[in-house]
Amino acid sequence: MSSPAIDRILRGPSGLGTSGLQFRPQVPVPEVATPEVPAAETAVPATVVPEVPVPEASGFQAPSVPVLPVPAAVPPAVGGSAAEAPSGGSPRPGDPIPGLYHHPVAEPDPVRVEALSAALKVWAMEEIELYPPEWEKDFDGFSTGRYMVACHPDAPSVDHLMLAARLMVAENAVDDCYCEDLGGSPIGLGSRLLLAHTALDPLHTTPEYHPAWEASLSSDPPRRAYHSAMEYFTRAATPSQSDRFRHDMARLHLGYLAEAAWDQADHVPEVWEYLAMRQFNNFRPCPTITDTVGGYELPAELHALPAMQRVIALASNATTIVNDLYSYMKELDSPGLHLNLPVVISEREGVSRKEGYLKAVEVHNELMLAFEAEAAALAVSCPVPTLVRFLRGVAAWVDGNHYWHQTNTYRYTLPDFW
């Protein structure tokens, strides 16, 4: 059975349908234990892609959180849209960025959002004491529960959603407390990130030095968050999925370090350099766990395909530019020159702030269209059910990420550029 979400992937950005795509595998398809799929001659119609049952994650020991029925997913609309410029003034709060190519999503299930938000707050505030009481308002304003429900429509339960939600909160704590808003600094960041990374990728050392490292895992809130979130994740994930996540977090930390180095040197990178940094300092760790959150696994050999790596990179880059665009006004209030794509374009290409912002919208749209075209080609050339389901999950994450940025008026407002 098909769905609008997978129809979109198979259709690609042009809306021509799979009849407009030729079956030309670019890489050998690895032999994996998956259900047989009818051979394609010239194309794989969306209707023949089988539904993949949702298995329980191997070894998953869930905490006591309500298991709610998976909502009847209303996947992203078939065919993206670009919001029109408002007539007479700025967009209203909660409007999408005018001209931004995106796919509207259904409002997340409020029952599931409430259950997830409540469980997440107990974990953050009581179990690991992540934030002091005075930060509670900002924790609530981030709306992580609504974010994760929107991004993972195929999650079998709130327990599975908690896997992603804990990691999201932990990553934000590291970003805020080590890098940015809540006491962060580029000075000494490398050391802090390295030690925090050992909460995700454990230190293997001698018995003499192991206790000191183990004690360090609870020495500050970000490390406690990383350590706890990763313990829950590894109990639910396969070893391959856990290793994949650690790799993606190392990429993220490398991007943090590049941005910190530019900050210390007061350096404004070239646009291409900034985009290279954003390919590492981006949302990639989030969509690449979509199979763990969905209760299944994309085999490592399929995840490692160059075509899949390109699809994931394009999706992650596009979602991160969404963050640059929606957080633009928030970052203007930061001291100094806060680097984001609109600012870098303006500085390096000698254009106004408005022109820089509008060109950044175009860059995002190009990345989105490339993501959809590459995902469509991969789904046709390698129609393995788990691979197609994973592509659908990444697309849902991309759309849910945009939805959260668009609707989070507690954090974001748009500039008056239209």
Side-chain angles (χ1 to χ4, degrees):
M1 182 180 292
S2 184
S3 73
I6 195 59
D7 287 346
R8 192 187 100 209
I9 285 295
L10 292 174
R11 179 176 285 107
S14 66
L16 296 177
T18 55
S19 61
L21 294 168
Q22 293 191 352
F23 184 63
R24 296 187 182 127
Q26 300 300 307
V27 292
V29 177
E31 294 183 4
V32 292
T34 53
E36 291 187 4
V37 178
E41 296 180 358
T42 59
V44 179
T47 53
V48 304
V49 178
E51 285 275 329
V52 182
V54 180
E56 289 296 324
S58 174
F60 186 40
Q61 300 175 8
S64 299
V65 180
V67 177
L68 302 175
V70 180
V74 182
V78 177
S81 63
E84 296 181 359
S87 57
S90 301
R92 295 165 299 181
D95 279 353
I97 293 171
L100 191 79
Y101 178 80
H102 69 284
H103 298 269
V105 302
E107 190 70 20
D109 174 29
V111 176
R112 184 167 273 213
V113 169
E114 183 179 0
L116 178 60
S117 299
L120 187 62
K121 195 166 185 177
V122 169
W123 172 77
M125 298 298 187
E126 299 178 17
E127 185 176 335
I128 64 169
E129 298 179 346
L130 179 57
Y131 291 126
E134 56 267 30
W135 292 357
E136 184 174 0
K137 184 178 179 182
D138 286 339
F139 179 84
D140 293 339
F142 197 88
S143 300
T144 308
R146 190 164 54 90
Y147 195 172
M148 294 299 94
V149 174
C151 287
H152 295 285
D154 70 339
S157 72
V158 171
D159 295 331
H160 289 81
L161 287 166
M162 279 289 287
L163 300 173
R166 290 190 201 93
L167 290 170
M168 170 67 78
V169 168
E171 291 160 27
N172 283 329
V174 169
D175 191 20
D176 287 343
C177 297
Y178 284 7
C179 307
E180 294 194 11
D181 302 16
L182 304 176
S185 168
I187 300 170
L189 178 60
S191 174
R192 295 192 298 276
L193 284 178
L194 174 65
L195 296 178
H197 195 81
T198 68
L200 306 172
D201 198 349
L203 176 65
H204 300 276
T205 187
T206 62
E208 178 182 359
Y209 298 109
H210 185 272
W213 164 73
E214 192 170 40
S216 77
L217 298 178
S218 60
S219 61
D220 66 15
R223 267 187 274 189
R224 287 200 299 273
Y226 263 2
H227 181 54
S228 176
M230 193 65 184
E231 279 195 323
Y232 280 107
F233 185 78
T234 54
R235 289 206 295 267
T238 66
S240 175
Q241 289 172 320
S242 297
D243 192 59
R244 180 204 307 170
F245 179 75
R246 293 186 188 104
H247 189 151
D248 282 344
M249 289 302 293
R251 297 174 193 256
L252 176 68
H253 293 156
L254 181 60
Y256 284 173
L257 292 174
E259 190 171 27
W262 292 337
D263 187 18
Q264 285 186 276
D266 290 324
H267 173 66
V268 178
E270 297 288 348
V271 176
W272 72 265
E273 291 177 313
Y274 178 82
L275 291 171
M277 181 274 292
R278 271 313 216 179
Q279 182 159 310
F280 292 83
N281 177 5
N282 73 10
F283 286 111
R284 184 184 179 115
C286 303
T288 55
I289 64 170
T290 186
D291 55 340
T292 308
V293 180
Y296 67 100
E297 181 180 17
L298 175 70
E301 57 268 37
L302 295 179
H303 178 265
L305 289 173
M308 177 61 79
Q309 290 295 300
R310 176 163 168 76
V311 165
I312 293 170
L314 287 167
S316 304
N317 292 347
T319 57
T320 304
I321 301 308
V322 164
N323 180 263
D324 276 13
L325 293 166
Y326 278 98
S327 64
Y328 178 80
M329 295 298 291
K330 180 174 178 285
E331 292 173 352
L332 283 181
D333 294 334
S334 304
L337 186 69
H338 193 106
L339 294 183
N340 53 51
L341 184 58
V343 166
V344 172
I345 291 174
S346 176
E347 292 286 320
R348 279 299 187 175
E349 299 187 358
V351 297
S352 69
R353 287 288 190 256
K354 175 179 178 178
E355 290 171 310
Y357 189 94
L358 296 181
K359 184 168 182 181
V361 171
E362 295 176 8
V363 172
H364 165 271
N365 291 352
E366 287 186 44
L367 290 170
M368 272 289 288
L369 292 172
F371 156 64
E372 293 187 352
E374 298 285 346
L378 179 56
V380 169
S381 66
C382 186
V384 177
T386 50
L387 180 142
V388 175
R389 181 178 178 184
F390 186 83
L391 291 175
R392 182 172 61 227
V394 172
W397 202 95
V398 169
D399 296 341
N401 176 73
H402 173 266
Y403 161 85
W404 176 82
H405 280 86
Q406 173 195 332
T407 58
N408 195 329
T409 55
Y410 177 82
R411 291 174 60 86
Y412 305 124
T413 58
L414 296 182
D416 186 11
F417 285 159
W418 298 276

